[in-house]
Amino acid sequence: WKEDQESLPTNEVISRRRTENVIRRLQKEPTLLQTYDEIIRDQEKRGFIEEVPKNELHTQRKTHYMPHHPEVK
């Protein structure tokens, strides 16, 4: 790890837009949307990802989100 690095910038708006676009694209392919949903739920259940609690949204502190996107083989 590098020391004395600045925090990543807040990116809530960008991350939210990316997620909305992914969902919109997946809605055109219901089977893929269902598979994507199952994968996300499994990852949450296994503790790999977590939903941001509502009381932690829109805080003054910097928060960097990692938007997700599907990989189709």
Side-chain angles (χ1 to χ4, degrees), residues 2-71:
K2 293 183 179 181
E3 293 184 23
D4 300 323
Q5 294 297 310
E6 290 186 36
S7 297
L8 293 170
T10 297
N11 69 337
E12 180 185 352
V13 173
I14 293 169
S15 184
R16 219 175 259 284
R17 280 193 200 132
R18 286 184 183 170
T19 301
E20 290 166 356
N21 287 335
V22 165
I23 292 170
R24 205 172 4 262
R25 266 186 284 135
L26 289 174
Q27 286 175 331
K28 295 175 184 176
E29 298 184 56
T31 303
L32 186 56
L33 177 61
Q34 183 175 346
T35 301
Y36 184 79
D37 180 64
E38 290 168 2
I39 291 168
I40 293 297
R41 289 180 190 277
D42 180 60
Q43 289 179 349
E44 184 177 27
K45 179 178 152 188
R46 295 169 69 187
F48 298 153
I49 61 174
E50 63 183 2
E51 184 174 348
V52 177
K54 291 184 190 303
N55 66 336
E56 290 184 24
L57 293 173
H58 313 295
T59 63
Q60 296 295 349
R61 65 188 174 111
K62 286 184 177 182
T63 306
H64 193 83
Y65 299 92
M66 294 176 54
H68 194 271
H69 64 278
E71 287 290 324

